[in-house]
Amino acid sequence: MITPAFELTQDPDFLTIVIKVPYARASEFDVYFEGEDFKFYAKPYFLRQLTLPGRIVEDGREKASYNTDKGTFTIRLPKEIPGQYFEGLDMLTSLLAPKKSRSAKPLVEEIAASAELSEEEEEEFDWEIEQTPYKDSAESSLPLQYCYGFGNLRSGVFQRLQDELSDVIDIKDPDQTPVDERRRKRLAAEAAKFEPDHYLADFFEDEAVQHVLKYKPWWVDAHKKMTALKGKSDQDQDAHTVVVFSEEEREQLRKFTNKSYLLDKRSRHHVYLGLIDILLAYCYEIRVNEGDKNVESSWNVRKLSATLCWLESFASIHDVLVSFGRRVLCYPLYRHFGLVTRAFNDTVMILQLGKAAVLKCLLDVHKIFAENDPAYILNDLFITDYCIWIQKAK
């Protein structure tokens, strides 16, 4: 069975689902919907289950039509509560029901996630992480393996990927290197790399830098539109209409496997700060290349993000901003502090636009890494999980 391409839109009273099923027989299809559940079948296409963010009802107003030219079914379903706004209709991965796993471990994680995270996510996120004094670990006959990746959930990965290691990250032997030592080595490497002459040249001869500072990425106009819409209406849903996903992005969302992440408070803190670090690096890349990708795009993003390049786990936003500023002044072609502050502003705009804008940027990073060998490893370690997680985050 094939999961069809689909998209969802809404008006105050109806939810509209457009399902692309070329080569299917229009006379042979089944639709099931009740409450928050929706299923669709038209051989060989099977939309096994969508978990909707609001309830729909069967009351005689529902309609379905088939466009033979486009090969699409359009299904209009009444909302149980007229006027209710359904959040996250463009978060396609989270709408798809989680696939059953043959392993017992994900099932345990899923139950724990629903029991614990539902309560935790209701709380306002505390950006002040708890600090604990450093303690020397007891000596052991077995070598320790230190964690990294999204939520620090991975370890032992680079033991299997020694050949690709040096081309992706700067830290050597991360499986045997604790976080504090990674940070010391990173700061030493940045200090050794900083070139005063390069910095001064970009500072005084800044025609090229001033040119890219004037570039306006897509989120600038989107932010202006969102601000204008909020000025006219108190309804937050207007902000969600300014970010539109391409068909390629929607297809990638459908390819992701929906899953939950069991993260404690400290891990969630690292995840949020890592997200800011990755967005800053991405904003720099988009601006200096004026939206056009090139062979250096992958290098720019991963080199400017200490999260990706040094497997850093930040403790505060201040540390994230300082790290990014140092790396911009040490590594890329243009080493100008104006680009640092502009990346700050760009990242703020993206975050204010909401989850859809953040997801759109992460999907672009995912594409950049997927097209670069061996940077695709960073998708496995970070970006894919970020793309799935952000759809359910507050």
Side-chain angles (χ1 to χ4, degrees), residues 104-115 117 259-262:
K105 186 176 180 181
L107 294 178
V108 174
E109 290 176 351
E110 188 74 23
I111 293 171
S114 62
L117 291 188
K259 55 184 175 180
S260 297
Y261 298 92
L262 189 58

Side-chain angles (χ1 to χ4, degrees), residues 276 279-280 283 342-352:
I276 296 173
L279 287 177
L280 287 167
C283 288
R342 189 57 56 87
F344 291 172
N345 295 333
D346 286 339
T347 301
V348 168
M349 288 186 191
I350 293 169
L351 293 172
Q352 289 177 339

Side-chain angles (χ1 to χ4, degrees), residues 25-269:
R25 290 185 179 181
S27 59
E28 299 180 6
F29 75 96
D30 290 312
V31 175
Y32 167 84
F33 61 94
E34 181 179 1
E36 297 177 346
D37 296 332
F38 176 87
K39 299 178 182 180
F40 175 88
Y41 172 72
K43 190 177 181 179
Y45 300 96
F46 186 27
L47 196 54
R48 187 168 61 87
Q49 183 172 350
L50 289 182
T51 303
L52 303 172
R55 295 180 64 85
I56 51 180
V57 65
E58 183 177 359
D59 62 3
R61 293 182 295 156
E62 58 275 2
K63 294 181 180 180
S65 61
Y66 181 70
N67 187 315
T68 54
D69 295 332
K70 297 181 179 179
T72 59
F73 274 101
T74 301
I75 303 170
R76 282 173 57 82
L77 304 172
K79 296 180 178 179
E80 185 174 274
I81 303 176
Q84 180 185 6
Y85 180 74
F86 288 3
E87 291 277 356
L89 291 183
D90 47 3
M91 306 298 169
L92 302 186
T93 311
S94 64
L95 296 178
L96 290 167
K99 298 178 180 178
K100 292 183 179 179
S101 173
R102 296 179 182 178
S103 168
K105 186 176 180 181
L107 294 178
V108 174
E109 290 176 351
E110 188 74 23
I111 293 171
S114 62
E116 297 179 13
L117 291 188
S118 59
E119 184 174 325
E120 291 180 357
E121 288 296 330
E122 291 299 321
E123 303 174 359
E124 286 297 320
F125 186 76
D126 183 8
W127 289 95
E128 296 297 327
I129 193 169
E130 298 177 5
Q131 298 188 75
T132 55
Y134 175 79
K135 295 181 180 180
D136 290 326
S137 57
E139 293 185 1
S140 172
S141 58
L142 295 175
L144 289 174
Q145 280 200 346
Y146 295 97
C147 297
Y148 42 78
F150 177 87
N152 286 324
L153 298 176
R154 304 291 185 87
S155 64
V157 175
F158 286 105
Q159 289 182 343
R160 307 188 301 269
L161 299 169
Q162 289 295 329
D163 293 339
E164 293 89 350
L165 174 63
S166 60
D167 294 329
V168 180
I169 62 176
D170 287 353
I171 180 67
K172 308 300 181 185
D173 196 14
D175 293 293
Q176 306 301 324
T177 308
V179 174
D180 290 343
E181 187 176 345
R182 293 179 208 165
R183 185 171 300 119
R184 287 194 297 270
K185 290 183 176 180
R186 172 177 66 82
L187 294 173
E190 291 167 357
K193 180 63 176 176
F194 179 70
E195 299 176 11
D197 291 342
H198 191 143
Y199 171 78
L200 290 173
D202 285 355
F203 181 77
F204 289 109
E205 301 175 7
D206 62 347
E207 293 83 359
V209 172
Q210 294 302 323
H211 175 75
V212 296
L213 285 173
K214 295 176 182 177
Y215 173 71
K216 292 184 178 181
W218 62 266
W219 51 79
V220 174
D221 289 337
H223 192 270
K224 289 180 180 178
K225 183 178 178 181
M226 180 192 72
T227 303
L229 288 171
K230 282 190 173 181
K232 297 178 182 178
S233 171
D234 293 332
Q235 295 181 335
D236 291 338
Q237 60 257 35
D238 290 336
H240 295 269
T241 63
V242 300
V243 179
V244 179
F245 292 98
S246 67
E247 181 53 41
E248 182 181 9
E249 291 166 338
R250 292 179 178 276
E251 177 63 24
Q252 182 58 64
L253 286 174
R254 289 188 288 266
K255 290 179 180 178
F256 289 139
T257 299
N258 192 7
K259 55 184 175 180
S260 297
Y261 298 92
L262 189 58
L263 303 174
D264 58 22
K265 182 178 180 181
R266 179 174 291 271
S267 296
R268 284 188 291 129
H269 192 92

Side-chain angles (χ1 to χ4, degrees), residues 7-35:
E7 58 184 68
L8 299 90
T9 57
Q10 63 181 317
D11 58 37
D13 298 325
F14 287 88
L15 174 70
T16 301
I17 305 176
V18 179
I19 306 173
K20 298 181 180 180
V21 287
Y23 316 119
R25 290 185 179 181
S27 59
E28 299 180 6
F29 75 96
D30 290 312
V31 175
Y32 167 84
F33 61 94
E34 181 179 1

